[in-house]
Amino acid sequence: MQRIVEFRKLNFWSGKPGVEALNKKISELNKDGWYVQSVVPNTTFFGVISSYTLLLQLTEQDG
């Protein structure tokens, strides 16, 4: 199964998405069994990164 998620958590000081928060979210998703296939930045009209789009795939559980 695949899923698309938009990550928008902004850094308090810069107003841009925090890369540290994004890495933390990816770690949480990995623990839940999701594998991040791609990360794409979403920009405003002026080229400022406003969010990231993540393509996730659920890893198969051995059972």
Side-chain angles (χ1 to χ4, degrees), residues 50-62:
S50 60
S51 64
Y52 292 94
T53 300
L54 307 164
L55 174 60
L56 307 173
Q57 181 166 346
L58 188 60
T59 57
E60 295 185 25
Q61 302 291 328
D62 294 335

Side-chain angles (χ1 to χ4, degrees), residues 24-47:
K24 190 174 186 179
K25 182 66 176 177
I26 289 173
S27 294
E28 292 171 7
L29 291 167
N30 287 335
K31 289 179 186 175
D32 292 339
W34 290 97
Y35 170 74
V36 179
Q37 288 188 324
S38 70
V39 178
V40 179
N42 303 317
T43 60
T44 64
F45 182 73
F46 297 106

